[in-house]
Amino acid sequence: MMQRAVLLLCWLPLLNHCHAVHPGCSCVVYSSSDRPQGGTFTSPYYPKRYPSNIDCLLYTFVGQPDEIVELSFHQFHIRRAQPNCMGGDFVKVFLHLETTGVSEYTPWSGVLCGELRDIPQILYSSRSALILELHTQGPPSNATGFFGNFRFIDRRLFETDGVLIPGTMCDLEFVSSQSTPQYGRFYSPRYPSSYPKNIRCSYLFRARLKERIRLVFEEIFLQKGDLSCLNRADLIRVHDGTDSGAPTIAVLCNQGAEVEVLSTGPDLYVEFVANSEWPGQGFKAMFQFQPLDDAPHPELDKVIPGAVTGNPKYSVIGPAVSATTSLCDMVFSSDTTKTGIVTSPGYPNPYPSRTHCTYDFKGRGKERVQVIFQDLNLYHTPDQPNECNDVDSLIAYVHIYDKKEKIDSFCGGMPSRPVMSSGPQLSLEFNGITSSRHFRGFKATYTFTENFGITTGRQEAKYPCAFAYNSNETRNGTFTSPNYPGFYPRDTECHYFFNGQPNERVLLHFHFFDIEGVIPCDGVSASDFVEFSNYVGRDRKYPRRCGQQKEFDVASDKKFFRVTFKSNDRYDGTGFNASYVFVDEEVNYTTKPPTSNTSTLKDASLLVLLLTSLLFGQVSL
């Protein structure tokens, strides 16, 4: 014991005994008074292996009263003896300290062990102090410990701009007026540190009559993983109104960034619910009260034939803006109309050469922009490659926090699939490099839709994208992924709930299936997926499905069944087209449902006898 103490004393001159804090512990103190710019911290003897049998070594970081502490781990390797890290070698983390010391009764925020990929790589305190408590026990290992940086941050950078509602702990109100800023920020409790367990906070935004509310969730760190939001204990729900009874236009969980939400009226209500055992960092978000731009431009709406529902971006042609650009750059807002026509300049006559037009579509609430092409006839040559680079083309972009990301492109006379936004905004960019009297350009219908292009089932208001199929309304039908047969939108989660009678089951037949991903269709492989369950929660009986698959069938065990589609922000797929039929448990059915891609099945027949027998376990292969 004496030799170990001498070694530790040689390791750091700042090491001292912490009688007043935690009897029996040694500690090293890092203070912003001594190191206002921050510095580095390491385990003993890093990068060599750390000593065994360290009873208690405290790393205490103390800032000024208006500061918080940030720790960044660059290397971390603490031998894992138990799955929960509570044995052998481990590091306790104290993030929410009211004083600069700890005792055996002080609650900790978490316990760390394993490697860098197993831990949060950045930690924040919620007040001016943060402590790490290192313990090592048992035989020596080859683990090298940790190395990182610390710094002290002004906590006023994370102050919420709302007003606390009296009698509540974290309910805030944001009211637009002439005396208040038209924009600001709001955060989860304690952000950027972890939020408390078992809390429910609300954020109520009240704009003026001629204003609407824009929210951008710049960072979201709730729970790790790729589970459906149906199965998450920590959630952000956005309601298009004044309370939780208003329609839900967004549900956020897991981790993400740059999610934009626009209200349809002057009120917006955000709920943050946290019931997990391991809280995340939370969220940071921006709000803005936006004037409602409903001023018509009738004298300019006539310029482009067919595009009568859009407004030009430029009402005056200035010296730096060409006439072609000014007359064909258009904005289409759902405040004005929910559907309309958009065309290339001069359609159906040939478009001019060197034409560059942008068409911006702006929806609200849970609206998505869907564009369906009636005609696509762009200049091309017989040897033109399939890629639409450096040729006459139409490119679709989604907006992610004022940035545009390409989601699809069209050129020549190629068959054009529907396009759908992943949020309330979409842009089309038309590049007409070459003019020819034989090429007309394009014509399309745009729609601001709340049903994600899913035209069957009864839409549920409590989720942004959820549809119920009830056997007491129809016994059979079809359902599809969003925007089918076009690419499904990114960052989208849709639920399909099948509700039968007590003696019924539902049989599903997937005619087409193309979901971006690789088995086992999880977050490690950044896969989109389709999930099946006999419950609202997760059901491990059914494996997730992704990739390109041939026709297949799925059967429920009971009267209720759930199908969930979930896409991430990476890649696109065409999605799926499926049919369903409710059957009595004791009856065999002899006919196969049609493989038609139509949206309804008025006279749909049922599954073949062999298929039904296989699904019910009456025949084995």
Side-chain angles (χ1 to χ4, degrees):
M1 179 70 72
M2 180 62 70
Q3 183 181 10
R4 179 172 59 85
V6 171
L7 287 173
L8 287 175
L9 286 168
C10 294
W11 163 62
L12 259 179
L14 292 175
L15 200 66
N16 57 74
H17 214 52
C18 303
H19 287 295
V21 180
H22 195 320
C25 287
S26 298
C27 69
V28 56
V29 178
Y30 302 90
S31 170
S32 69
S33 299
D34 301 325
R35 302 187 184 186
Q37 303 304 316
T40 61
F41 65 99
T42 69
S43 54
Y45 313 129
Y46 183 88
K48 298 180 180 180
R49 64 187 187 186
Y50 53 79
S52 59
N53 298 316
I54 299 177
D55 291 334
C56 176
L57 176 59
L58 299 178
Y59 294 75
T60 301
F61 303 85
V62 182
Q64 300 298 319
D66 57 354
E67 293 178 329
I68 59 175
V69 184
E70 178 192 81
L71 300 188
S72 301
F73 287 100
H74 304 300
Q75 299 292 336
F76 190 91
H77 187 195
I78 298 293
R79 179 176 63 92
R80 181 188 293 272
Q82 298 182 12
N84 64 359
C85 299
M86 288 303 297
D89 303 347
F90 59 89
V91 179
K92 284 184 180 178
V93 180
F94 300 86
L95 300 179
H96 311 301
L97 297 171
E98 296 183 6
T99 65
T100 57
V102 295
S103 71
E104 61 267 36
Y105 305 109
T106 306
W108 57 83
S109 306
V111 183
L112 310 179
C113 67
E115 301 185 28
L116 188 64
R117 64 175 177 267
D118 302 320
I119 69 166
Q121 296 175 22
I122 302 179
L123 298 174
Y124 295 91
S125 67
S126 58
R127 294 183 175 88
S128 58
L130 187 155
I131 291 179
L132 305 179
E133 185 178 314
L134 173 64
H135 294 262
T136 65
Q137 180 180 336
S141 70
N142 292 324
T144 55
F146 50 79
F147 162 74
N149 287 95
F150 67 91
R151 66 182 183 127
F152 303 98
I153 305 173
D154 190 340
R155 71 162 63 184
R156 291 169 293 188
L157 295 173
F158 304 101
E159 290 182 350
T160 294
D161 293 311
V163 177
L164 184 67
I165 297 176
T168 69
M169 294 185 62
C170 57
D171 294 344
L172 298 163
E173 191 172 36
F174 306 77
V175 179
S176 174
S177 69
Q178 292 183 346
S179 60
T180 58
Q182 296 303 101
Y183 57 89
R185 296 189 174 276
F186 65 105
Y187 304 89
S188 53
R190 295 176 174 170
Y191 189 90
S193 189
S194 59
Y195 47 83
K197 298 179 185 179
N198 301 317
I199 62 164
R200 181 183 295 269
C201 303
S202 68
Y203 306 81
L204 176 60
F205 298 86
R206 292 183 176 275
R208 287 176 279 187
L209 187 61
K210 287 288 187 177
E211 292 178 332
R212 297 297 180 261
I213 302 149
R214 177 185 184 229
L215 304 182
V216 177
F217 290 88
E218 299 166 287
E219 292 182 359
I220 304 169
F221 297 99
L222 301 186
Q223 295 169 272
K224 287 185 177 181
D226 61 347
L227 291 180
S228 159
C229 290
L230 281 177
N231 304 315
R232 283 305 199 185
D234 297 352
L235 289 172
I236 303 167
R237 290 183 180 272
V238 183
H239 301 274
D240 199 17
T242 58
D243 54 38
S244 59
T248 302
I249 58 176
V251 178
L252 309 175
C253 64
N254 304 316
Q255 299 181 352
E258 299 173 346
V259 178
E260 183 178 38
V261 181
L262 300 172
S263 71
T264 63
D267 302 298
L268 206 58
Y269 183 79
V270 179
E271 283 183 292
F272 175 53
V273 181
N275 294 313
S276 67
E277 283 299 313
W278 300 104
Q281 186 182 5
F283 67 85
K284 73 172 182 177
M286 179 270 290
F287 71 89
Q288 181 181 9
F289 295 112
Q290 296 181 318
L292 186 60
D293 183 16
D294 55 1
H297 301 270
E299 70 282 2
L300 293 173
D301 285 344
K302 304 175 186 177
V303 174
I304 301 178
V308 296
T309 53
N311 289 326
K313 285 186 179 179
Y314 308 101
S315 58
V316 177
I317 301 175
V321 181
S322 71
T324 302
T325 299
S326 298
L327 297 181
C328 72
D329 284 1
M330 304 289 291
V331 176
F332 302 85
S333 171
S334 69
D335 296 332
T336 304
T337 183
K338 299 299 182 184
T339 188
I341 301 294
V342 58
T343 68
S344 53
Y347 183 89
N349 299 316
Y351 51 86
S353 61
R354 296 186 299 278
T355 299
H356 178 84
C357 306
T358 60
Y359 308 86
D360 292 332
F361 302 86
K362 298 182 178 181
R364 293 193 176 277
K366 63 180 174 184
E367 291 177 340
R368 297 295 183 266
V369 185
Q370 186 177 46
V371 178
I372 299 176
F373 294 93
Q374 278 78 50
D375 189 16
L376 184 73
N377 181 236
L378 306 184
Y379 176 85
H380 64 282
T381 59
D383 58 346
Q384 180 172 305
N386 292 330
E387 294 80 11
C388 298
N389 299 324
D390 302 319
V391 296
D392 290 14
S393 62
L394 187 67
I395 303 174
Y397 297 90
V398 291
H399 290 252
I400 302 177
Y401 194 29
D402 296 331
K403 294 182 293 186
K404 294 200 301 185
E405 186 169 340
K406 177 181 172 182
I407 58 169
D408 212 343
S409 59
F410 306 94
C411 54
M414 62 189 296
S416 51
R417 40 192 182 262
V419 174
M420 179 171 283
S421 64
S422 55
Q425 298 191 62
L426 178 81
S427 288
L428 297 178
E429 185 176 291
F430 175 61
N431 293 292
I433 302 171
T434 307
S435 178
S436 168
R437 63 187 179 90
H438 301 292
F439 296 94
R440 301 179 298 276
F442 74 89
K443 177 183 179 181
T445 300
Y446 69 86
T447 304
F448 295 101
T449 178
E450 294 188 347
N451 68 5
F452 293 78
I454 300 170
T455 57
T456 61
R458 184 186 299 275
Q459 190 164 9
E460 300 278 355
K462 62 187 297 187
Y463 304 99
C465 181
F467 298 83
Y469 300 82
N470 304 316
S471 69
N472 60 0
E473 296 175 353
T474 179
R475 296 265 293 181
N476 52 63
T478 61
F479 65 105
T480 68
S481 55
N483 195 48
Y484 184 86
F487 288 154
Y488 51 73
R490 301 176 188 180
D491 280 325
T492 298
E493 182 172 309
C494 292
H495 309 290
Y496 309 80
F497 301 116
F498 296 88
N499 302 296
Q501 299 301 312
N503 64 334
E504 291 179 333
R505 301 185 190 184
V506 65
L507 309 180
L508 309 180
H509 182 78
F510 284 80
H511 306 283
F512 179 86
F513 193 91
D514 173 27
I515 303 295
E516 179 65 36
V518 294
I519 295 173
C521 311
D522 57 17
V524 175
S525 58
S527 294
D528 304 330
F529 62 83
V530 172
E531 182 178 87
F532 306 97
S533 178
N534 287 297
Y535 320 101
V536 173
R538 193 171 183 185
D539 188 345
R540 298 188 182 277
K541 173 182 177 179
Y542 301 90
R544 286 180 174 178
R545 296 268 188 164
C546 64
Q548 295 182 339
Q549 298 192 18
K550 297 180 179 179
E551 294 190 35
F552 65 91
D553 308 281
V554 182
S556 71
D557 290 342
K558 300 295 181 182
K559 66 176 182 178
F560 173 81
F561 202 60
R562 170 178 65 84
V563 178
T564 292
F565 162 82
K566 187 174 177 63
S567 64
N568 57 32
D569 62 350
R570 304 290 183 86
Y571 303 106
D572 310 302
T574 306
F576 65 81
N577 175 36
S579 57
Y580 69 90
V581 57
F582 290 97
V583 299
D584 296 331
E585 290 184 358
E586 69 276 7
V587 178
N588 289 330
Y589 291 87
T590 59
T591 335
K592 185 178 180 181
T595 57
S596 168
N597 289 338
T598 58
S599 61
T600 61
L601 289 176
K602 294 184 179 178
D603 298 312
S605 47
L606 304 174
L607 296 178
V608 292
L609 175 61
L610 175 61
L611 170 62
T612 308
S613 300
L614 286 171
L615 291 173
F616 288 154
Q618 298 169 352
V619 175
S620 60
L621 293 177

